[in-house]
Amino acid sequence: MKKTIEKIYILENPEKNIVKFATDYQLRYDDVIKDVFGVACLKDLDMMIQFNKAFQKSICVKLGISEKKVSLQTVVRIASKNDLLLLKKEMVLEAIKQNKESEPAIPCPFDSIIQLQDGIFKWDAENSSYIQVTQIA
């Protein structure tokens, strides 16, 4: 049986200035939607986008778009490699604060193989980062 590759999402709540990464599994079964947006599920988030004018406005201001372009995909989307690089920087800074090391090794934050907007990536423990792969062994 072939294992599915976990997609990594980025969730952004500009109204509360929260940005969080999540896997498919976390979106379905964890409280990540509630933690970031304060609603129980994606269906409720879609309604929040439609009817919460303050939330709509915060999205428009952050992204520089009109209210007509605000959608679920503007606040919950598949992460890109650049998004993941931001996560790595945050993890390195946190590790430096805790360990006082100049270049600490960071643990693999997700599965060893993940899917981003830019393709499939595999964890490289030596560099503490994901590298793009062309085929999966």
Side-chain angles (χ1 to χ4, degrees):
M1 183 174 173
K2 188 176 179 181
K3 182 183 174 195
T4 59
I5 297 172
E6 196 83 68
K7 287 182 185 166
I8 306 300
Y9 294 86
I10 187 165
L11 293 72
E12 294 185 80
N13 183 340
E15 186 176 38
K16 295 183 180 176
N17 202 25
I18 299 172
V19 176
K20 189 165 187 158
F21 289 86
T23 63
D24 283 323
Y25 180 86
Q26 290 170 316
L27 283 180
R28 285 191 301 268
Y29 303 111
D30 288 355
D31 286 337
V32 70
I33 299 292
K34 187 171 185 166
D35 294 343
V36 175
F37 300 105
V39 295
C41 62
L42 288 173
K43 184 178 175 184
D44 292 344
L45 178 56
D46 199 29
M47 292 187 59
M48 181 177 163
I49 290 169
Q50 291 178 27
F51 299 109
N52 184 327
K53 294 298 179 188
F55 184 61
Q56 272 184 9
K57 185 174 180 173
S58 70
I59 296 167
C60 293
V61 169
K62 165 107 173 145
L63 300 176
I65 60 175
S66 69
E67 286 183 17
K68 292 178 184 176
K69 293 193 178 193
V70 174
S71 70
L72 191 60
Q73 288 74 28
T74 57
V75 293
V76 177
R77 61 181 168 75
I78 298 175
S80 68
K81 183 174 181 179
N82 286 337
D83 294 327
L84 223 54
L85 290 173
L86 293 174
L87 175 64
K88 180 181 178 180
K89 285 179 186 177
E90 289 175 15
M91 291 177 76
V92 167
L93 288 174
E94 189 61 34
I96 289 171
K97 283 181 193 175
Q98 292 178 0
N99 300 329
K100 309 283 191 273
E101 292 181 40
S102 59
E103 193 61 39
I106 55 173
C108 183
F110 306 108
D111 285 350
S112 60
I113 298 176
I114 60 170
Q115 182 177 348
L116 301 173
Q117 284 179 12
D118 315 293
I120 306 295
F121 290 78
K122 184 175 183 178
W123 182 251
D124 178 11
E126 192 173 304
N127 294 313
S128 296
S129 64
Y130 285 97
I131 55 171
Q132 193 163 11
V133 294
T134 54
Q135 62 181 355
I136 299 164

